[in-house]
Amino acid sequence: PVLEASLALTRRYWPRDVQGDLSCQTNLANCLGDLGRHDEMLALEQDIYAKDLAMNGVSNKNTILSGVNLANAFLRLELWDESKTFARDLLPAARQSLGAEHD
């Protein structure tokens, strides 16, 4: 409830801060995963990634991070093939925009 309230406040007081909104949603998704509510976590991570992708493009650092979070959500649900396929699509964009030596 606390993170949901934080998300609601962010949307109310900073409606144009889309990245802040996505950050609050990421925190909520992480907590849902920790609580074992993996289906809800996956749906939220997919929504976050789609918004980041539409807003920033595939080679943006935030989009790549959202993609890594989504791949991790697939892993937590033991969706191995989905995670592997998604990560394979994500890695070239990450290497191109961040460089092969990036942590």
Side-chain angles (χ1 to χ4, degrees):
V2 173
L3 289 175
E4 290 170 343
S6 175
L7 179 59
L9 286 172
T10 298
R11 288 178 173 165
R12 179 177 179 184
Y13 291 109
W14 300 282
R16 289 183 214 95
D17 184 10
V18 178
Q19 202 58 52
D21 182 71
L22 293 175
S23 179
C24 286
Q25 288 182 41
T26 299
N27 291 338
L28 180 58
N30 289 335
C31 286
L32 289 170
D34 291 343
L35 292 171
R37 295 165 59 180
H38 298 296
D39 291 332
E40 294 171 80
M41 173 196 65
L42 178 61
L44 191 52
E45 290 290 5
Q46 288 173 320
D47 186 49
I48 293 166
Y49 180 74
K51 288 177 183 175
D52 252 330
L53 185 61
M55 187 172 66
N56 299 316
V58 70
S59 60
N60 180 274
K61 183 178 178 179
N62 291 326
T63 305
I64 294 166
L65 184 56
S66 294
V68 169
N69 289 339
L70 179 54
N72 187 45
F74 285 134
L75 288 175
R76 289 179 92 166
L77 282 166
E78 298 181 1
L79 299 171
W80 315 118
D81 292 336
E82 289 86 344
S83 182
K84 187 171 28 173
T85 301
F86 187 76
R88 282 185 178 157
D89 293 341
L90 186 64
L91 282 173
R95 284 191 183 116
Q96 182 180 8
S97 64
L98 302 175
E101 301 299 319
H102 188 74
D103 290 339

